[in-house]
Amino acid sequence: MSFTSLSIRTASKAVLAAAQIALYTTIATAGTPASCPNPVLSCSTAPTNVDTCCFNTPGGQLLQTQFWDTDPPTGPSNSWTLHGLWPDHCDGTYDANCDAARAYTNISSIIQAAGKQSLLDYMNTYWKDYQGNDESFWEHEWAKHGTCISTLEPDCYTNYVPQQEVVDYFQKAVDLFKGLDTYSTLAAAGITPSTSKTYTSAQIESAISSVRGHEVTIGCSSGALNEIWYHYNVAGSVQTGTFVATDPDGTKSTCPATGVKYLPKGSAPPATTTTPTAPAPTGGFSGKGYLNVVTGGAQKGCIISGGTWYTTGTCATFTATSAGAVLPSSGETTDGKLMSPAAGFTLASSKGKCAISNGALTCASTVTTATVFTVGHPFPDVLIGSNGANLAYNGASNFYADSVPSGSIQATIYTTSHAAPVTITWQGV
C-alpha cells in the first residue's frame, strides 16, 4: 500500500470521526423524550388510544438481568455483571429483534460520540461478555431487546438525533444495575461464593425478596447459581418514567430446590454425573432454549409458550429438565434394531408444563404430568438443530401440522400424520 493511499484512508476516517462527533455533541439537548404528564403503569389496563411513547407495550414488564460468570470469570470478583434490560410481555413471553434497521453495530462509538465516556467505562467493567467480545454482546442486547421497547422509538423524541435512543437504553440499564447490588445483598444474608457450601433456592430468593419486597427469578447452570432477573413495571417511558419493582411475569426460576452452588469466580462449574440407567439429556436439550420448527428442509418459525407453532411471532423460552432414562414404546429404530434407553427430559414454558395430550403438544398450567421426551435419531432429510438435537416422542422425531401457519395464525403440533410434516429442533440460549 502506498503512502498516498494510506493517507487518504486515514484522512477519510478522520473526517468520518469528526462528523460523528459533530452529530452527537448535540444529543444531550437536541432530542427530548415524550412528555408524559399522567403516566400509566405498564402491565395495567391500557388506556384508550394508548400513547406507546408513554406506555410501554407490548413489552410492559422490564427485566434488569445479571450474570455471575465463574469459568471464565467476568467482572470484579465481588460483583455480579450486567446482562441486559429486557421488555417482556406481561405474561412471560417477549418480542425480539424488532427493528433490523436499528440493529446498530457501533455501540461504543455511539456512546462516546454522545459524550458518555463514563458510561462506556462503567460498561467495560460491569457489562462483560464471557467470551471477551463485549462489543458484540452489547450489539446483541440492543438489537434483540432494546429495539422492542416502545418508548424508545425514534418518533418518541422531539428533535430526534439518530441513535440517541441507544444511549438512553444503556444508561437506564446501568442506572438500574447500580441500585441492585446482588453480591452485597446475598452476602448480608450469609450467602457467599464457596466451592463447598450449597444453598437452597428459597434461601437465595428470600435474601433478595426480603430487601426488595418482591420475588426475583434465579437461574442455574449445572446446579450452580449464575443469573438473577429483577422485574419492574414502568409508569411512563423508559427514559424518564418511574420503575416500580414487581413480581415475575410468568417466568420461572431454573435452580433446583436444594444443593444450589454459588461458586467463586475463577472456579470450574460442578461436574454433572451420569449413569447408564439415567443419562443426562444429550444433544443440547438442557437448560433454556427455543424450539425451532423445520419443514421442507428450512426453519420456519418456532413453538410459542402454549405449545403451538407460530411463524411470525416471538419464540418462547423453554426449560429442559432431565428425567432419567426412557425406552421408547416401539423399542426399535427404523432399521428394526433394538433401541437402548435414551436420555429423557421434560419441557416447560412460562405457561406451565408441556405434554402430548390427545395426540397434540400443549403447554399449560393445567398440565399436571409433563411428557418425557428424548433426543431424536436423525434421518437423512431431517435438519439437525443448532445444538445437534431434534425433539422426539416415543422414539420418533417426526411431528405434524395441518398446514404451515402464516400471519397471526397458530398451528397445532400433532404426533400422528397430518398434511405438513415438521421437525422440532433445540436452540440453547
Side-chain angles (χ1 to χ4, degrees), residues 43 71 100 121 129 131 141 146 191 201 217 290 308 336 356 367 386:
C43 291
D71 185 32
D121 291 344
D129 174 51
Q131 295 178 316
E141 289 300 305
I191 300 173
S201 288
T217 301
Y290 303 140
T308 53
I356 300 299
V367 175
S386 63

Side-chain angles (χ1 to χ4, degrees), residues 9-392:
R9 176 174 291 186
T10 303
S12 299
K13 289 183 177 180
V15 170
L16 177 59
Q20 284 185 320
I21 292 173
L23 175 63
Y24 289 107
T25 50
T26 58
I27 279 186
T29 56
T32 304
S35 174
C36 305
N38 298 300
V40 178
L41 191 66
S42 59
C43 291
S44 62
T45 302
T48 304
N49 300 321
V50 60
D51 180 359
T52 58
C53 291
C54 291
F55 184 82
N56 288 285
T57 185
Q61 185 160 120
L62 277 293
L63 280 61
Q64 198 288 294
T65 55
Q66 300 184 10
F67 272 144
W68 180 258
D69 290 320
T70 61
D71 185 32
T74 62
S77 62
N78 62 345
S79 175
W80 286 58
T81 55
L82 246 162
H83 186 172
L85 181 62
W86 304 347
D88 270 17
H89 295 180
C90 302
D91 61 0
T93 60
Y94 62 91
D95 294 324
N97 301 302
C98 296
D99 189 350
R102 293 192 296 136
Y104 305 122
T105 58
N106 56 335
I107 302 301
S108 292
S109 298
I110 293 171
I111 293 174
Q112 285 177 315
K116 296 279 191 175
Q117 185 61 47
S118 60
L119 170 61
L120 184 59
D121 291 344
Y122 192 90
M123 290 167 59
N124 280 322
T125 300
Y126 292 98
W127 201 326
K128 306 295 293 181
D129 174 51
Y130 79 100
Q131 295 178 316
N133 195 337
D134 297 346
E135 186 73 26
S136 292
F137 183 30
W138 302 337
E139 292 167 0
H140 166 82
E141 289 300 305
W142 163 253
K144 181 175 181 179
H145 302 291
T147 60
C148 296
I149 298 176
S150 69
T151 59
L152 289 178
E153 290 285 340
D155 60 7
C156 292
Y157 294 82
T158 57
N159 300 317
Y160 170 73
V161 174
Q163 302 177 346
Q164 72 176 95
E165 75 277 23
V166 177
V167 182
D168 285 342
Y169 171 79
F170 286 98
Q171 185 67 67
K172 180 56 67 175
V174 164
D175 289 346
L176 290 171
F177 175 79
K178 287 181 177 180
L180 298 168
D181 188 347
T182 300
Y183 186 91
S184 295
T185 300
L186 292 176
I191 300 173
T192 56
S194 170
T195 57
S196 58
K197 292 181 183 177
T198 61
Y199 305 94
T200 66
S201 288
Q203 285 176 313
I204 297 168
E205 292 171 351
S206 177
I208 298 174
S209 63
S210 62
V211 173
R212 179 174 168 77
H214 291 275
E215 296 178 4
V216 295
T217 301
I218 63 174
C220 287
S221 176
S222 299
L225 182 66
N226 73 335
E227 193 153 12
I228 290 183
W229 301 351
Y230 294 87
H231 299 252
Y232 293 91
N233 293 333
V234 184
S237 69
V238 162
Q239 301 94 309
T240 64
T242 300
F243 278 67
V244 180
T246 189
D247 291 325
D249 55 359
T251 55
K252 293 180 173 61
S253 297
T254 59
C255 294
T258 61
V260 178
K261 287 182 176 281
Y262 181 23
L263 297 172
K265 291 189 177 183
S267 59
T272 57
T273 59
T274 61
T275 67
T277 57
T282 59
F285 275 98
S286 180
K288 293 185 177 182
Y290 303 140
L291 294 174
N292 296 321
V293 178
V294 176
T295 185
Q299 181 187 335
K300 292 185 179 180
C302 53
I303 303 299
I304 57 176
S305 57
T308 53
W309 177 19
Y310 204 35
T311 57
T312 58
T314 300
C315 300
T317 300
F318 289 82
T319 300
T321 304
S322 176
V326 176
L327 182 64
S329 60
S330 66
E332 296 180 347
T333 62
T334 53
D335 61 4
K337 295 179 180 179
L338 290 177
M339 182 181 292
S340 299
F345 54 87
T346 59
L347 294 170
S349 72
S350 62
K351 298 292 187 182
K353 298 175 182 177
C354 299
I356 300 299
S357 178
N358 296 321
L361 176 63
T362 184
C363 304
S365 60
T366 55
V367 175
T368 57
T369 303
T371 293
V372 178
F373 299 93
T374 57
V375 177
H377 290 263
F379 297 95
D381 60 343
V382 173
L383 179 67
I384 299 298
S386 63
N387 288 353
N390 291 326
L391 186 70

